[in-house]
């Protein structure tokens, strides 16, 4: 006997989410925004750290000032905005708030999580840690939602012991790792037809699909089972670890009870606020340049013999090679040239696939040279 007997049994099947640090010249494997911030922005951020930060004081418990800035952006009440240490933390808060640890707390409860697959791995990972049952619904061959299968998954599940349907459903739009942008209508219909399920529309990459945001797209107030989730990580600020969601005030209150106080550092709060209030135009330019470079990346990848390049709506592109061996060979060739890409060959339904994040002009020159056409 040892303390090990007390470890959550669900951890056994999980692996650590780990990405080894790299100094490769072209890191095109992590869906970051590769465009560098101009010197004047970096200088302004340094000034904030030098002049304004009180290192000896706690930050605000809930990042009030940043929440106000975000609320203004979204035209909502600040109490609807909950910030997290990256949206990873928001995912965890949502699953914690919407799951039952003991069925006796609410007899017949214990709603499950529904996710289409493949999708962002942290949804299922966090659910597994917490013991929330997960129902996965494979995407169709075009990486579009399988609507009938989604509807079946969202209802009560036979043999689950619960008469309730899904508690929560995460829909990343655009989706990671497929870069697909599934039908707006299908998503809207699901949200309307399953009012007892919380739908989290994860807009981590929506900046790269202009005009596609769900936020603000509703006629009248958004449905109370709809949550908008976003992050600053994909738009130039991955180092800060700032994610957030906008939810109905009742759900936001529940999340705030789950959230650790002071969960986002004052450094991150202050730097995020500075960018959002003073340099939003520069941020838009970084995103616009990335969208332009995505076109070149798609063309380059399309020139790889027998590569199938899927439509890309995020800041990365999914490519399928005829075999896993060919995909791994491409990855190795590029790595040798200092270009890192993501191997997805072991992901179910993605045999032969790699994911390539959009790089700077210099990254794309390096990629082009490595592909033998520089
Ligand atoms: C779809 C999606 N959502 C959320 C996240 C988490 O982002 P972060 O925790 O950096 O805010 C990622 C990261 O890759 C993602 O791909």
């Amino acid at each position: 006997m040892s303390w090990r007997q007390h470890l959550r049994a669900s951890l056994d099947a999980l692996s650590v989410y780990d990405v080894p640090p790299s100094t490769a010249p072209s890191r095109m494997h992590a869906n970051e925004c590769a465009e560098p911030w101009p010197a004047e922005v970096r200088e302004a951020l340094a000034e904030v750290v030098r002049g304004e930060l009180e290192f000896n004081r706690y930050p605000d418990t809930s990042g009030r000032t940043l929440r106000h800035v975000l609320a203004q952006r979204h035209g909502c009440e600040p109490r609807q905005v909950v910030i997290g240490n990256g949206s990873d933390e928001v995912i965890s808060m949502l699953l914690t708030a919407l799951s039952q640890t003991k069925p006796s707390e609410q007899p017949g409860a214990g709603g499950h999580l529904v996710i289409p697959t493949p999708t962002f791995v942290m949804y299922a990972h966090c659910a597994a840690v917490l013991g929330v049952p997960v129902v996965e619904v494979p995407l169709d061959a075009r990486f579009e939602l399988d609507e009938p299968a989604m509807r079946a998954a969202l209802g009560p599940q036979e043999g689950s012991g619960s008469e309730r349907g899904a508690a929560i459903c995460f829909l990343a739009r655009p989706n990671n790792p497929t870069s697909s942008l599934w039908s707006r209508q299908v998503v809207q219909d699901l949200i309307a037809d399953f009012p007892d399920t919380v739908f989290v529309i994860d807009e981590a990459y929506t900046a790269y699909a202009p005009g596609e945001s769900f936020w603000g797209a509703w006629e009248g107030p958004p449905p109370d089972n709809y949550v908008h989730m976003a992050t600053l990580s994909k738009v130039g600020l991955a180092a800060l670890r700032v994610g957030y969601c906008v939810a109905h005030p009742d759900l936001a209150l529940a999340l705030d009870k789950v959230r650790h106080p002071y969960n986002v550092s004052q450094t991150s709060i202050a730097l995020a606020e500075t960018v959002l209030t003073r340099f939003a135009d520069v941020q838009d330019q970084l995103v616009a340049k990335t969208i332009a470079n995505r076109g070149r990346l798609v063309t380059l990848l399309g020139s790889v013999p027998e590569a199938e390049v899927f439509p890309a709506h995020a800041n990365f592109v999914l490519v399928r090679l005829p075999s896993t061996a060919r995909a791994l060979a491409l990855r190795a060739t590029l790595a040798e040239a200092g270009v890192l890409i993501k191997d997805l060959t072991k992901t179910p339904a993605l045999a032969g696939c790699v994911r390539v994040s959009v790089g700077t002009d210099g990254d794309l020159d390096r990629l082009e040279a490595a592909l033998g056409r520089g």
Side-chain angles (χ1 to χ4, degrees):
M1 284 297 174
S2 89
W3 54 266
R4 290 172 184 82
Q5 68 188 300
H6 304 297
L7 285 172
R8 275 176 189 263
S10 59
L11 299 183
D12 276 353
L14 294 176
S15 42
V16 176
Y17 187 115
D18 181 47
V19 182
S22 165
T23 52
S26 291
R27 282 164 275 165
M28 299 170 71
H29 64 310
N31 298 349
E32 297 144 344
C33 178
E35 295 299 320
W37 287 95
E40 66 269 24
V41 177
R42 295 180 62 86
E43 188 45 45
L45 297 178
E47 196 45 51
V48 168
V49 175
R50 262 197 301 268
E52 292 174 26
L53 279 189
E54 293 189 285
F55 291 104
N56 54 328
R57 305 285 179 196
Y58 276 107
D60 179 73
T61 42
S62 67
R64 234 165 285 246
T65 48
L66 177 56
R67 284 170 43 238
H68 273 81
V69 170
L70 291 167
Q72 244 171 8
R73 243 187 192 210
H74 289 288
C76 66
E77 297 174 48
R79 67 182 174 134
Q80 291 181 261
V81 181
V82 180
I83 61 174
N85 206 275
S87 43
D88 285 342
E89 192 189 17
V90 180
I91 292 167
S92 188
M93 289 192 258
L94 283 159
L95 284 163
T96 306
L98 289 161
S99 60
Q100 316 294 328
T101 43
K102 292 193 206 104
S104 58
E105 282 178 6
Q106 273 187 42
H112 54 283
L113 163 70
V114 172
I115 44 169
T117 54
T119 192
F120 181 46
V121 292
M122 288 307 286
Y123 307 143
H125 184 99
C126 290
V129 168
L130 293 167
V132 176
V134 184
V135 178
E136 298 189 345
V137 182
L139 294 171
D140 71 14
R142 294 168 304 121
F143 298 131
E144 179 56 73
L145 290 176
D146 179 342
E147 189 178 358
M150 285 295 292
R151 286 179 179 275
L154 287 161
Q157 298 300 293
E158 216 173 292
S160 69
S162 167
E163 286 167 15
R164 301 194 186 187
I168 180 167
C169 173
F170 285 100
L171 294 172
R173 190 174 182 277
N175 186 41
N176 176 17
T178 57
S179 210
S180 53
L181 187 75
W182 34 59
S183 158
R184 172 183 287 274
Q185 193 58 54
V186 169
V187 175
Q188 259 168 356
D189 290 348
L190 293 177
I191 296 173
D193 294 347
F194 292 87
D196 296 343
T197 300
V198 169
F199 287 85
V200 183
I201 310 303
D202 182 348
E203 300 207 358
Y205 301 101
T206 307
Y208 299 99
E212 284 294 344
S213 178
F214 259 68
W215 183 261
W218 307 95
E219 280 171 31
D224 71 354
N225 61 330
Y226 157 71
V227 175
H228 168 82
M229 189 167 75
T231 176
L232 302 187
S233 296
K234 312 301 176 182
V235 284
L237 296 171
L240 299 189
R241 306 301 298 129
V242 174
Y244 65 97
C245 72
V246 184
H248 184 277
D250 293 349
L251 180 54
L253 179 64
L255 297 178
D256 258 335
K257 292 178 185 174
V258 168
R259 187 182 53 77
H260 294 183
Y262 318 110
N263 59 326
V264 178
S265 81
Q266 186 57 37
T267 320
S268 293
I269 290 172
L271 298 185
E273 259 174 62
T274 306
V275 170
L276 295 179
T277 55
R278 289 171 54 194
F279 300 111
D281 53 335
V282 181
Q283 192 173 35
D284 289 347
Q285 286 159 21
L286 303 187
V287 168
K289 176 65 181 160
T290 304
I291 292 175
N293 279 4
R294 179 175 67 197
R296 183 177 168 208
L297 177 61
V298 166
T299 307
L300 283 175
L301 293 170
S303 69
V304 174
E306 296 179 273
E308 182 182 5
V309 181
F310 293 95
H313 298 278
N315 62 341
F316 55 88
V317 181
L318 182 73
V319 187
R320 175 170 273 144
L321 278 300
S323 69
T324 289
R326 287 273 304 276
L328 295 179
L330 174 67
R331 180 163 165 268
T333 305
L334 294 179
E336 228 164 84
V339 179
L340 294 193
I341 64 171
K342 172 91 174 164
D343 168 20
L344 293 171
T345 55
K346 291 196 192 72
T347 304
L350 295 183
C353 288
V354 291
R355 190 192 67 194
V356 188
S357 308
V358 179
T360 59
D361 289 337
D363 293 328
L364 296 179
D365 290 345
R366 189 172 287 110
L367 177 80
E368 185 168 5
L371 292 176
R373 33 200 101 240

